[in-house]
Amino acid sequence: MAKPRAYVMVSVDADTVVIGAREVKTRLAAEIGTCGLGEEIRVLETGSFGPSDAGIVAAVMPEGLVYGNLTPERIPQLVEEHFVKGRPVSAWLLAGEHILPDPETTDSRGQQYFGRIVLDNCGRIDPDSIEEYIANDGYFALGKALTEMTPEAVVEEVKDSGLRGRGGAGFPTGLKWSFCASEKADMKYVICNADEGEPGTFKDRLIMEGDPHKVIEGMALCGYALGATQGYVYIRGEYKLSIERIRNAIEAARENGLLGKDIMGSGFDFDIAVKIGAGAYVCGEETALIESMEGKRGLPRVKPPFPAKAGFRGKPTNVNNVETLANIPFIIRNGAAQFHGIGDPGTPGTKVYTVLGHINRAGLIEVPTSVTLRDVLEDYAGGMRSGSFKMAQLGGTAGDLLDASMLDVPLNYDSLAKNGHSLGSGAILFMNETIKVCDFLHACMKFFAHESCGNCNPCRNGMAALLELTARLKKGEGYPGDIALMEELVMGMQSIAFCPLGQSPAAPVLSAVRYFRDELHAGINVDAVRPRPEHTMRHLMKLAS
Amino acid sequence: MAIKLKIDRQDVEVPEGTTVLDAAAEAGVHIPTLCHVPKVTSPGSCRVCLVEIEGARTLQPACVTPVTEGMIVRTHSKRARQGRQMSVELLLANHPWDCNACVRNGQCELQTLAQTMGITDVRFPYTREEVPVDTSTAAVVRDMNKCILCRRCVAVCQDVQGVGSLAPRARGFDTVIGAGAGENLCDAVCVQCGQCAAICPVGAIYEQDAIEDVWRALDDPEKHVVVQTAPAIRAALGECFGLEPGTCVTGKMVAALRRLGFAKVFDTNFTADLTIIEEGHELLTRLKTALVDKGEVSLPMFTSCSPGWINFMEYFYPGLLPNLSSCKSPQQMFGALAKTYYAEKEGIDPKNIVVVSVMPCTAKKFEADREEMVDSGFKDVDYVLTTRELGRMIQEAGIDFMKLPDEEQDSPMGMSTGAADIFANTGGVMEAALRTVYEVVTGRELPMEKLHVAPIQGLDGLKEVALTFEKCQPDWSFLEGVTAKVAVAHGLSNARKVCDMVADGEGGYHFVEVMCCPGGCIGGGGQPRMTTDEVRQSRIKAIYTEDEGRTMRKSHENPAVTQIYAEFLGEPLGHKSHELLHTHYHAKEPV
Ligand SMILES: Cc1cc2nc3c(=O)[nH]c(=O)nc-3n(C[C@H](O)[C@H](O)[C@H](O)COP(=O)(O)O)c2cc1C
Ligand code: SF4
Ligand code: SF4
Ligand code: SF4
Ligand code: SF4
Ligand code: FES
Ligand code: FES
């Protein structure tokens, strides 16, 4: 078969699938075939291109032209004009800025962008093609590790890179690996946490959809470093396309001897299986995830023992986020130093976010950890779509609410921590003045109340109380003292709940009180009096006497 | 390995693997708990046992946190106290404030927690929706409005009893403890043992109360109300009045029952002795059929005096029903005889006799209601009270229990031996049977110290012993040299193990004693709370002391038993016995 002269890459991710991306792709291929161009022009699926408001998009390579808002009906004309007559249909072309900035571009503060680490292949290669991944340096890092590095050296390299977990807590990845690596056991497991339950967060999904092999390679490297022979990708059930692409990638890697027995003749055995998640938010917590993998109700475990000691099936287990693992091939390929040189030294590298809200372009971005919220808003999200910036929630429902005073703080753990905030899991929700803080908080509490597993008392009853307290504020029926009570409650839950989910409402509640106290206060009816449970009182007095 | 740590500035040294809770107890510090029940469950979920551990970001639950070398624990720092208070305040927030009209008033773990933590206000809103109270079974009432979701009941039903009828349903704030596939216990495979009621810390599960019915009968001048008390009651009733576990209160119990107005105070012990005679003969007959006649007979024979165990067999091992002794439980033998033998003897119209039992378990309530239990021509046993209910009745009647004199049961159905006493605890029925069977077969007393069969005593889940018959009496010469292998199990998860062995043709047992409740009836679901292993040991000790203090310690020595055969029953396993003292079982469809 002749080498194609061009590729059309249709961005098929879980969002565009539902609006017909697959139909567009099929129609494109059919139309190109009808015109007798099937040999010359290949139609491929790819992952997300990045923030977009342009419906179904497709890129024509190598020209790098991108069409947006495609429908099956538009295809015949497109093929006729662009491929037969050689005249791009300018009306449907998207402006260059819709594709991620190339390394030469600078941001609004004159800072230079850099190449992407995690998303470098997303939207550029066919995720179902291992050949394309390999052609783009794929599995180079695995080969390097297996032939040139000891497992200890891989752990050291990751430690030196300064990579911190991208699953929310920001725990240093190399350190985490070293715990599991030092355990002696006949079996160890590597788990990729692809449960991604935070509402509005779908970066892991887009990574898996756009470049599944990167995750597989990261897991294999992790397995080698830790002395584990089996990996699992725990994917939430709704992520049908991710499941499909990860499965294909595993299959292809096996066929190419990159998974399975004696990988690349090194004597290292490693295989990966997919486990489908149970669907609850708390299943993303690593011990609940392990319980769920063992076929039990997905409830968090009592720690210790920590998974590194006794995790899946009681064996040493390392759980990492999808994005964390997707950073590993770069680090091993290019060395810790290069990685460490990117972004903020305290949180080296990049961070992948899904950006959402009242902005012009919503979607997936990867930015160095030195950029600020303002950079993200103005350079990547295209500014506010309507109204003006009021607040942003950083890191999903369990994240902090920030007001305009925080726009210029760089988005990394240390800079945020200095301001009493944390980075969270990788979602940024921008909101304008139409959103009322009370309503927003109530919506967050609804999510938590819904997701509380109900196992432990403080979270189960605490979430119910928060739901009621915020509902009262929302209706302007709060009792005097409710705000202080809410603060006391979330802080209490932070130190008494069984698992981090019960500790989560603290972030949105405390930050909301910090920046929007007056607005919350407006939800209080100053004349109302909280009823005291007097019969309880009387009885306690009787008992005490 | 010993671990050294500091608890509230005290140096403590404990073995590795000890929890902070137990280490603190060593140091004389009592940390409150709720969801944790030693040896049963420790989900770490109620968060009332929180302590501050230096270096830990959050408060840690003492009940599940193992000690580590050099650990510094503060059990009543401000942070620890506030954390625990918040846990309890949150529990109270969604708990109905019904204390004054609650069965657990004054003996409720939640109340105690609130009180000891100095909680004087509950500031969080009550947001719960009322659910109907589950009164669907004869054994227990489940008021899920009061449930604090500690899941102790789930653990006991699943892990101790191996039944698994209770399980949390739904999630988050909507979580409820469901029964089987539904809301109500009648929708589940429940053996009615009441262990869930015994372990519940609050008023969410409690026995179906028969107190009103009993008062009504006592108040009715037409009725002749007699009472029987199970062997296990006397070793536990005192706990209702603040006595130490293991205080035997037989005499005061009899006196109290008389003062409550019962016409006759009899004893289930009497029919326990009778059970040994009937069951012993049944065993010997089965052995004869097997060894001499080479006939078809089911061995091992299982004891049948524990109704929860019968339910368990009917649900889970219908194939083994032929192995169950056909003897009714002592409670039901008593009822059938009270309305026939006793009625005849005293010339009372049986329709006016009301038989009340005081029993350690709720399954007896269910058993009394079984439709086959009407062999006297009437409902053999009218009402069943648990130990706890009797305690409440005595309190309600204003009887000063501690001031009561010791009194004796009435005859003839109040007469019994030490062998009947030990029906109360695991291993006891077997020991009582061996005392009689060995003597019947060999003509000599059981050759064991103080007549105790040591290997089957104690709280091990599954115990066994072998006994060889030598120099047999002529009638039993076929047993010469035969070694009888017997086993004892208590708690249904242990019973399950024996059943599985028997079903697989393993074990080689001839006779197996099973008691539904852990420790036997002394650990029954109707006994005063909380029954821990220490409490079980104390009650068992009290029972053995009672037994050893008797002059008659073997069932066949009971003159009232000899008398009833002479006057009424004829012979063991005879026609009348079959009619009144034996029963049959049916497989139950799992719901
Ligand atoms: C309620 C809850 C939900 C979580 N959900 C996720 C998730 O969806 N994905 C994820 O990677 N980590 C999640 N985590 C964090 C994990 O427990 C764990 O810290 C993470 O997978 C570790 O990976 P990392 O070290 O690579 O960040 C969640 C934690 C909690 C408490
Ligand atoms: S904190 Fe919430 S989610 Fe975590 S165990 Fe408790 S109830 Fe479950
Ligand atoms: S269960 Fe306890 S706290 Fe609840 S109403 Fe009854 S006595 Fe009061
Ligand atoms: S009575 Fe026994 S079997 Fe029934 S639910 Fe309670 S513990 Fe389980
Ligand atoms: S019913 Fe009682 S034992 Fe069961 S979970 Fe509720 S409070 Fe606990
Ligand atoms: S008693 Fe320790 S958490 Fe419940
Ligand atoms: S069997 Fe439960 S108390 Fe006797």
Side-chain angles (χ1 to χ4, degrees), chain B residues 281 284-285 287-289 291-293 437-443 469 471-480 571:
Chain B
H281 280 88
L284 291 170
T285 310
L287 289 174
K288 185 156 185 277
T289 314
L291 297 171
V292 181
D293 312 336
V437 168
Y438 191 86
E439 200 162 320
V440 167
V441 171
T442 66
F469 296 108
K471 295 189 234 142
C472 293
Q473 296 290 92
D475 279 356
W476 308 101
S477 56
F478 69 92
L479 285 172
E480 188 62 43
E571 50 174 3

Side-chain angles (χ1 to χ4, degrees), chain A residues 280-282 297 299 302-304 449-462 464-465 468-469 472 485-486 488-500 503 530-537 539-540 542-545, chain B residues 42-48 50 57-61 64-66 79 83-84 86-92 94 97-100 105-106 111-112 114-115 119-125 127-128 148-151 168-173 175:
Chain A
Y281 174 60
V282 75
R297 212 173 133 104
L299 304 181
V302 174
K303 289 188 260 191
H450 182 258
E451 292 301 337
S452 162
C453 75
N455 193 30
C456 84
N457 152 46
C459 172
R460 184 180 67 241
N461 288 309
E468 175 67 19
L469 286 167
R472 285 205 301 239
L485 187 60
M486 210 160 66
E488 183 185 334
L489 177 56
V490 294
M491 284 192 284
M493 286 167 71
Q494 219 171 10
S495 70
I496 69 178
F498 186 104
C499 87
Q503 300 162 10
R530 178 169 60 79
R532 275 163 70 92
E534 295 201 336
H535 28 333
T536 309
M537 276 294 301
H539 184 64
L540 287 168
K542 192 182 87 191
L543 272 182
S545 60
Chain B
S42 288
S45 61
C46 73
R47 318 305 274 184
V48 309
L50 298 168
R57 194 172 49 88
T58 57
L59 295 172
Q60 299 296 313
V64 289
T65 306
R79 216 175 138 220
R84 297 204 293 249
M86 181 168 285
S87 282
V88 175
E89 190 179 343
L90 283 167
L91 283 171
L92 290 170
N94 281 303
W97 302 318
D98 285 354
C99 295
N100 294 337
N105 192 6
Q111 272 182 340
T112 311
Q115 189 210 10
I119 289 179
T120 51
D121 192 7
V122 175
R123 300 160 301 164
F124 303 115
T127 54
R128 222 151 134 163
I148 52 169
L149 288 167
C150 67
R151 296 161 207 231
R169 297 223 326 248
R171 303 179 61 253
F173 192 65
T175 310

Side-chain angles (χ1 to χ4, degrees), chain A residues 196-211:
Chain A
E196 201 165 52
E198 281 283 353
T201 310
F202 40 87
K203 53 139 186 129
D204 293 342
R205 190 192 81 209
L206 294 176
I207 294 169
M208 291 185 287
E209 288 172 3
D211 199 7

Side-chain angles (χ1 to χ4, degrees), chain B residues 64-94:
Chain B
V64 289
T65 306
V67 294
T68 55
E69 188 63 34
M71 188 182 246
I72 297 178
V73 181
R74 274 181 286 272
T75 70
H76 55 258
S77 61
K78 182 172 175 208
R79 216 175 138 220
R81 277 182 288 120
Q82 285 182 343
R84 297 204 293 249
Q85 269 169 345
M86 181 168 285
S87 282
V88 175
E89 190 179 343
L90 283 167
L91 283 171
L92 290 170
N94 281 303

Side-chain angles (χ1 to χ4, degrees), chain B residues 211 213-220 223 225-227 229 233 237 241 252-265 356-358 385-401 404 407:
Chain B
I211 294 178
D213 296 323
V214 174
W215 280 130
R216 201 175 328 107
L218 288 170
D219 289 341
D220 185 343
K223 300 293 183 198
V225 190
V226 302
V227 65
T229 55
I233 312 303
L237 180 65
F241 306 98
K252 289 193 180 356
M253 173 183 77
V254 173
L257 289 166
R258 258 191 207 114
R259 279 160 185 68
L260 284 174
F262 290 101
K264 288 283 174 179
V265 181
V356 173
S357 323
V358 185
L385 298 168
T386 59
T387 316
R388 294 192 293 265
E389 287 165 87
L390 176 60
R392 293 204 293 273
M393 271 186 91
I394 295 173
Q395 256 158 3
E396 188 185 344
I399 296 168
D400 186 344
F401 192 78
L404 289 172
E407 293 183 6

